[in-house]
Amino acid sequence: MENMKGHIVDVVRREIFDGELVIEGEKIVEVRRCKLPANEKPWSYIMPGFIDGHVHIESSMMVPHKFARIAMSHGTIGVIADPHEIGNVLGVEGVDYMIRSGQETCFNFLFGAPSCVPAVGGDIETCGKVIDVKDTEALMAREDIGFLGEMMNYPGVLGGDKDVMAKIQAALRNGKPVDGHAPGLTGQQRDRYAAAGITTDHECSTLDEGRSCIKAGMKVIIREGSAAKDYKLLSPLIKESPNMVMFCTDDCHPDDFVRGHINLIVKRALADGYSLWDVLQAASVNAQKHYNQQWGLLQVGDPATFITVDNVTPHFRVESTWIRGEEMFNYNSSLPSKHGGMDDYILNMEFPNNFVATPITVADIDINLKPGDTVHIIHASDGSLLTRHDAVELTGNPLFDSHYPWTEVQKIVVYNRYVPNAKPVVGLVRGFDIKEGAIAGSVAHDCHNIVAIGSSDEYIVRAINRIVEMRGGQVVVAPEEMMDIALPIAGLMSPVSGHEVAFRTLCIQEKVREIGCQMKSPFITMAFMCLPVIPDIKITDRHLMDTKTFSAIY
């Protein structure tokens, strides 16, 4: 490539100067300071690209190389990817699939080994595969695995569970970091969790929790995804502890992803008055240092990986993205890929899956509710993964005798996708406010069984059976219409392009609004109703769970 001239944003020395990058092959061999001719053109700012410090690519419903194309258009040059979702469906085979797909394009993927497959052991939920201690030890020894994924079983860490500790030790023996997941832990519990060798957490949702995490020596990964949004409360940490903060999306829905990625967090932080250098430290530097990667910081000897932007204000625009000396995105042109990733490639591949569920009937989801019973209702909130536990003594049937103009309390059904003729588990949920219709999906964290919510049993059954027919996907059923998107790759991802996935999900979400649900991200919020490691109450294919005590309500 030609040498690159512009205003060089040196995040290491914390200065901006006019200069030229001398590039040979994939490397920067010299950084020259020089005066730029003012009359030639408006010179761009050349700066390190952004890194997503914790993401589940599967939540974009795109395969990795299609994900990379969208990410690079937003100035993202690399991601720390935990293939936990596909790991729960396909085990190590799923991890290998993600790595192979990522190799189809020029981008920086660092994949980890999922630490909790299933997320919670025992009789709590059913997943497709198990990644045990032996599997983890083998993964940790591999060069293409960079870290141990989020340790969600924090009770197991605090209790010294043998298998949990063996997985952590396997990572540490191989010199690889261990990611955390411990919502609500502070004080001595947080200290004990960190002392086990866990060095990050993306689940902090309050400033006190974030400060406690940093005090214990753990880095806080500030999350701003589709369903969980923690930037507003945690952003003071950018100024307080810039070396201990990273940015992430965790789970980003495709329609949000095509609009922006880490660049949106950077713009917001700059608009809030945080120092450009502190923001870039969090967005570009800390992840590389923490995960021992050299993806490029505009230093001599670094890979020629960087982005160009038109200014360094909160209103900057990403003009181009370069990965190892190759321009992979330019906002003025459509660049052909030289690294595979073409649609015909993926369409000719086998779609790995694990889906054997059979259709159900209305009788399968019937529940008997009568006055005097105490029912346990999942109270969901838009924009949050947390749920409230409403224990209510019935004076009537909450599915029909609501005091509100719509049926506020509705059924939520979880149906095992891995066993034929399984019995669905039926619970009650409020907050979705579906007036007439149902939604269903095979994205249901973390075991990815089928989950559905609707205004009537008939609508719910239609939605679930369509998921069964597609062997994975998302569907919305309205009185006169059904709309869906198939996710044949592990029931999590689509083989089509990222923008096509985003368009289809936008259409589906518009139909969800038409049937009454006004949530920003209804499918992601519904998916997290099944995750028993986040308080207060969740539902799995086996139980309604009190997730504070890890006990089954029924």
Side-chain angles (χ1 to χ4, degrees):
M1 66 166 285
E2 297 180 0
N3 295 344
M4 179 71 69
K5 292 182 179 180
H7 309 297
I8 297 176
V9 182
D10 189 334
V11 71
V12 175
R13 296 172 180 82
R14 293 200 162 201
E15 63 174 324
I16 300 175
F17 58 88
D18 293 352
E20 179 180 24
L21 302 179
V22 181
I23 298 169
E24 292 183 4
E26 297 184 356
K27 297 286 186 179
I28 297 172
V29 297
E30 187 179 355
V31 181
R32 298 173 181 163
R33 293 175 183 260
C34 60
K35 187 172 178 61
L36 301 175
N39 59 349
E40 282 194 11
K41 61 179 180 179
W43 293 97
S44 298
Y45 289 79
I46 306 170
M47 68 184 191
F50 309 132
I51 298 169
D52 192 325
H54 175 79
V55 65
H56 303 288
I57 293 172
E58 303 95 313
S59 292
S60 73
M61 300 194 292
M62 304 170 194
V63 291
H65 65 264
K66 303 283 180 75
F67 173 96
R69 290 186 183 184
I70 305 297
M72 288 186 287
S73 72
H74 302 311
T76 301
I77 57 93
V79 296
I80 311 301
D82 184 348
H84 176 89
E85 315 303 340
I86 198 169
N88 271 275
V89 177
L90 294 169
V92 174
E93 176 191 351
V95 176
D96 290 338
Y97 174 84
M98 299 296 279
I99 293 173
R100 288 197 307 273
S101 175
Q103 292 169 344
E104 292 302 315
T105 192
C106 186
F107 188 72
N108 294 302
F109 289 102
L110 183 68
F111 285 101
S115 67
C116 300
V117 176
V120 182
D123 185 45
I124 293 175
E125 57 185 344
T126 305
C127 66
K129 295 287 183 178
V130 172
I131 297 180
D132 59 18
V133 172
K134 185 178 179 180
D135 295 326
T136 302
E137 289 175 342
L139 286 167
M140 286 294 97
R142 287 170 43 171
E143 292 185 0
D144 56 0
I145 296 293
F147 63 99
L148 183 64
E150 56 182 306
M151 180 48 71
M152 307 170 74
N153 189 0
Y154 59 88
V157 175
L158 298 178
D161 179 88
K162 179 181 176 182
D163 287 350
V164 167
M165 302 311 290
K167 291 178 180 181
I168 293 173
Q169 288 304 311
L172 299 179
R173 279 198 309 273
N174 286 277
K176 296 177 180 178
V178 181
D179 278 356
H181 170 119
L185 283 193
T186 56
Q188 291 184 352
Q189 285 190 324
R190 172 63 68 178
D191 292 341
R192 288 168 54 202
Y193 186 73
I198 300 168
T199 50
T200 71
D201 201 341
H202 60 278
E203 289 291 340
C204 299
S205 57
T206 70
L207 189 55
D208 286 345
E209 194 177 345
R211 287 170 175 159
S212 176
C213 190
I214 290 173
K215 184 179 178 182
M218 300 174 67
K219 292 182 175 65
V220 174
I221 310 180
I222 299 176
R223 174 176 56 189
E224 193 73 4
S226 290
K229 300 181 182 295
D230 302 316
Y231 168 87
K232 183 176 180 180
L233 292 177
L234 295 178
S235 62
L237 298 175
I238 298 170
K239 181 178 180 179
E240 293 178 12
S241 305
N243 292 325
M244 298 296 289
V245 172
M246 297 180 249
F247 296 146
C248 82
T249 57
D250 195 4
D251 295 284
C252 194
H253 208 256
D255 58 310
D256 290 324
F257 184 42
V258 296
R259 295 189 184 102
H261 194 214
I262 301 302
N263 61 318
L264 297 183
I265 308 176
V266 171
K267 289 182 178 185
R268 187 172 176 183
L270 293 176
D272 287 344
Y274 293 107
S275 157
L276 170 68
W277 306 115
D278 288 346
V279 173
L280 291 182
Q281 186 76 27
S284 305
V285 180
N286 291 341
Q288 293 192 52
K289 290 185 175 180
H290 183 80
Y291 292 98
N292 304 309
Q293 301 300 303
Q294 292 183 323
W295 288 345
L297 293 174
L298 297 180
Q299 305 301 300
V300 173
D302 280 359
T305 297
F306 51 85
I307 65 175
T308 65
V309 299
D310 58 345
N311 61 72
V312 288
T313 73
H315 309 290
F316 72 82
R317 175 178 61 191
V318 176
E319 296 178 334
S320 65
T321 300
W322 297 76
I323 309 288
R324 296 187 286 280
E326 181 172 343
E327 187 176 26
M328 298 300 294
F329 166 76
N330 188 301
Y331 78 108
N332 275 327
S333 65
S334 176
L335 296 171
S337 173
K338 300 177 184 177
H339 295 268
M342 301 302 290
D343 288 344
D344 58 353
Y345 174 85
I346 188 66
L347 290 173
N348 288 330
M349 286 185 67
E350 179 183 357
F351 298 157
N353 208 337
N354 186 0
F355 208 107
V356 298
T358 50
I360 65 170
T361 67
V362 169
D364 293 322
I365 63 170
D366 183 54
I367 53 175
N368 182 26
L369 300 174
K370 59 184 184 298
D373 289 347
T374 296
V375 295
H376 300 269
I377 301 169
I378 303 169
H379 193 158
S381 300
D382 196 12
S384 176
L385 309 186
L386 303 176
T387 53
R388 296 206 305 271
H389 183 174
D390 295 345
V392 179
E393 183 176 340
L394 296 182
T395 57
N397 190 323
L399 298 173
F400 305 105
D401 301 334
S402 174
H403 297 293
Y404 296 89
W406 57 84
T407 307
E408 186 188 19
V409 177
Q410 299 174 323
K411 282 185 180 179
I412 178 170
V413 178
V414 180
Y415 182 41
N416 187 327
R417 63 179 273 193
Y418 304 109
V419 178
N421 303 311
K423 180 175 176 56
V425 172
V426 184
L428 300 174
V429 67
R430 59 184 295 193
F432 283 82
D433 300 336
I434 298 172
K435 295 179 175 61
E436 189 172 9
I439 61 175
S442 58
V443 178
H445 300 296
D446 275 329
C447 286
H448 300 294
N449 290 294
I450 303 170
V451 59
I453 298 170
S455 63
S456 76
D457 291 358
E458 289 76 16
Y459 284 130
I460 291 172
V461 167
R462 283 183 61 195
I464 288 174
N465 287 343
R466 178 57 179 155
I467 298 294
V468 171
E469 181 182 7
M470 294 188 295
R471 301 183 75 240
Q474 291 183 343
V475 62
V476 54
V477 178
E480 303 296 331
E481 187 177 5
M482 179 185 292
M483 191 176 292
D484 58 49
I485 177 172
L487 302 175
I489 302 170
L492 301 173
M493 293 173 286
S494 168
V496 303
S497 73
H499 285 98
E500 178 66 18
V501 172
F503 174 73
R504 294 186 188 184
T505 56
L506 275 172
C507 293
I508 288 175
Q509 293 198 125
E510 180 59 35
K511 184 59 64 176
V512 174
R513 283 188 283 273
E514 289 179 14
I515 65 172
C517 179
Q518 301 303 311
M519 285 184 170
K520 170 70 170 57
S521 301
F523 284 97
I524 285 185
T525 304
M526 179 173 68
F528 278 102
M529 297 301 100
C530 305
L531 184 56
V533 295
I534 294 182
D536 285 347
I537 180 173
K538 295 292 191 291
I539 186 170
T540 75
D541 70 296
R542 296 188 181 186
H543 302 288
L544 182 69
M545 294 292 304
D546 182 327
T547 55
K548 279 189 169 181
T549 62
F550 271 87
S551 59
I553 296 171
Y554 60 76

